[in-house]
mmCIF file of all heavy atoms in Angstrom:
data_model
loop_
_atom_site.group_PDB
_atom_site.id
_atom_site.type_symbol
_atom_site.label_atom_id
_atom_site.label_comp_id
_atom_site.label_asym_id
_atom_site.label_seq_id
_atom_site.Cartn_x
_atom_site.Cartn_y
_atom_site.Cartn_z
ATOM 1 N N PHE A 185 58.390 48.116 73.965
ATOM 2 C CA PHE A 185 57.446 48.865 74.788
ATOM 3 C C PHE A 185 56.826 47.942 75.842
ATOM 4 O O PHE A 185 56.827 48.238 77.034
ATOM 5 C CB PHE A 185 56.336 49.450 73.893
ATOM 6 C CG PHE A 185 55.173 50.033 74.661
ATOM 7 C CD1 PHE A 185 55.242 51.321 75.158
ATOM 8 C CD2 PHE A 185 54.023 49.290 74.886
ATOM 9 C CE1 PHE A 185 54.178 51.862 75.885
ATOM 10 C CE2 PHE A 185 52.962 49.812 75.606
ATOM 11 C CZ PHE A 185 53.037 51.106 76.101
ATOM 12 N N TYR A 186 56.339 46.784 75.388
ATOM 13 C CA TYR A 186 55.651 45.865 76.304
ATOM 14 C C TYR A 186 56.572 45.404 77.434
ATOM 15 O O TYR A 186 56.226 45.488 78.613
ATOM 16 C CB TYR A 186 55.110 44.642 75.541
ATOM 17 C CG TYR A 186 54.522 43.596 76.460
ATOM 18 C CD1 TYR A 186 53.235 43.750 76.985
ATOM 19 C CD2 TYR A 186 55.259 42.474 76.846
ATOM 20 C CE1 TYR A 186 52.700 42.806 77.861
ATOM 21 C CE2 TYR A 186 54.737 41.532 77.713
ATOM 22 C CZ TYR A 186 53.463 41.706 78.216
ATOM 23 O OH TYR A 186 52.939 40.781 79.095
ATOM 24 N N VAL A 187 57.775 44.921 77.076
ATOM 25 C CA VAL A 187 58.632 44.354 78.132
ATOM 26 C C VAL A 187 59.183 45.440 79.060
ATOM 27 O O VAL A 187 59.392 45.171 80.249
ATOM 28 C CB VAL A 187 59.773 43.449 77.580
ATOM 29 C CG1 VAL A 187 59.199 42.243 76.854
ATOM 30 C CG2 VAL A 187 60.759 44.200 76.699
ATOM 31 N N SER A 188 59.367 46.665 78.544
ATOM 32 C CA SER A 188 59.860 47.713 79.449
ATOM 33 C C SER A 188 58.785 48.060 80.478
ATOM 34 O O SER A 188 59.091 48.262 81.656
ATOM 35 C CB SER A 188 60.330 48.955 78.676
ATOM 36 O OG SER A 188 59.301 49.485 77.874
ATOM 37 N N ARG A 189 57.522 48.081 80.049
ATOM 38 C CA ARG A 189 56.419 48.360 81.005
ATOM 39 C C ARG A 189 56.280 47.232 82.012
ATOM 40 O O ARG A 189 56.090 47.449 83.199
ATOM 41 C CB ARG A 189 55.082 48.542 80.255
ATOM 42 C CG ARG A 189 54.756 49.981 79.913
ATOM 43 C CD ARG A 189 55.851 50.605 79.130
ATOM 44 N NE ARG A 189 55.698 52.059 78.988
ATOM 45 C CZ ARG A 189 56.619 52.822 78.431
ATOM 46 N NH1 ARG A 189 57.757 52.313 78.008
ATOM 47 N NH2 ARG A 189 56.425 54.110 78.316
ATOM 48 N N ARG A 190 56.334 45.996 81.524
ATOM 49 C CA ARG A 190 56.219 44.834 82.428
ATOM 50 C C ARG A 190 57.366 44.843 83.434
ATOM 51 O O ARG A 190 57.173 44.571 84.619
ATOM 52 C CB ARG A 190 56.285 43.520 81.642
ATOM 53 C CG ARG A 190 55.022 42.838 81.259
ATOM 54 C CD ARG A 190 53.973 42.716 82.327
ATOM 55 N NE ARG A 190 54.234 41.713 83.348
ATOM 56 C CZ ARG A 190 53.792 41.785 84.599
ATOM 57 N NH1 ARG A 190 53.084 42.826 85.016
ATOM 58 N NH2 ARG A 190 54.046 40.833 85.466
ATOM 59 N N ALA A 191 58.574 45.177 82.947
ATOM 60 C CA ALA A 191 59.741 45.193 83.832
ATOM 61 C C ALA A 191 59.522 46.176 84.980
ATOM 62 O O ALA A 191 59.796 45.865 86.143
ATOM 63 C CB ALA A 191 60.991 45.575 83.037
ATOM 64 N N ALA A 192 58.986 47.354 84.653
ATOM 65 C CA ALA A 192 58.737 48.357 85.698
ATOM 66 C C ALA A 192 57.711 47.825 86.698
ATOM 67 O O ALA A 192 57.869 47.989 87.919
ATOM 68 C CB ALA A 192 58.245 49.657 85.055
ATOM 69 N N GLU A 193 56.676 47.147 86.193
ATOM 70 C CA GLU A 193 55.672 46.564 87.102
ATOM 71 C C GLU A 193 56.320 45.533 88.016
ATOM 72 O O GLU A 193 56.049 45.481 89.208
ATOM 73 C CB GLU A 193 54.541 45.912 86.293
ATOM 74 C CG GLU A 193 53.532 46.916 85.744
ATOM 75 C CD GLU A 193 52.589 46.279 84.700
ATOM 76 O OE1 GLU A 193 52.524 45.036 84.618
ATOM 77 O OE2 GLU A 193 51.946 47.041 83.990
ATOM 78 N N ILE A 194 57.187 44.690 87.418
ATOM 79 C CA ILE A 194 57.812 43.608 88.198
ATOM 80 C C ILE A 194 58.719 44.166 89.296
ATOM 81 O O ILE A 194 58.707 43.680 90.425
ATOM 82 C CB ILE A 194 58.583 42.647 87.251
ATOM 83 C CG1 ILE A 194 57.593 41.882 86.368
ATOM 84 C CG2 ILE A 194 59.454 41.667 88.044
ATOM 85 C CD1 ILE A 194 58.220 41.168 85.186
ATOM 86 N N VAL A 195 59.483 45.218 88.990
ATOM 87 C CA VAL A 195 60.354 45.773 90.040
ATOM 88 C C VAL A 195 59.601 46.751 90.939
ATOM 89 O O VAL A 195 60.135 47.235 91.931
ATOM 90 C CB VAL A 195 61.650 46.431 89.476
ATOM 91 C CG1 VAL A 195 62.476 45.425 88.705
ATOM 92 C CG2 VAL A 195 61.349 47.646 88.625
ATOM 93 N N GLY A 196 58.354 47.046 90.574
ATOM 94 C CA GLY A 196 57.509 47.886 91.431
ATOM 95 C C GLY A 196 57.910 49.350 91.459
ATOM 96 O O GLY A 196 57.764 50.026 92.478
ATOM 97 N N LYS A 197 58.419 49.842 90.341
ATOM 98 C CA LYS A 197 58.799 51.276 90.277
ATOM 99 C C LYS A 197 58.192 51.881 89.025
ATOM 100 O O LYS A 197 57.984 51.178 88.035
ATOM 101 C CB LYS A 197 60.315 51.408 90.209
ATOM 102 C CG LYS A 197 61.009 50.966 91.482
ATOM 103 C CD LYS A 197 62.451 51.407 91.482
ATOM 104 C CE LYS A 197 63.081 51.034 92.816
ATOM 105 N NZ LYS A 197 64.479 50.707 92.700
ATOM 106 N N PRO A 198 57.921 53.201 89.041
ATOM 107 C CA PRO A 198 57.403 53.810 87.810
ATOM 108 C C PRO A 198 58.435 53.722 86.690
ATOM 109 O O PRO A 198 59.630 53.933 86.945
ATOM 110 C CB PRO A 198 57.152 55.280 88.194
ATOM 111 C CG PRO A 198 57.580 55.446 89.596
ATOM 112 C CD PRO A 198 58.090 54.151 90.141
#
Side-chain angles (χ1 to χ4, degrees):
F185 170 83
Y186 174 79
V187 298
S188 58
R189 267 56 191 174
R190 263 314 285 151
E193 281 168 15
I194 292 166
V195 300
K197 293 193 176 148

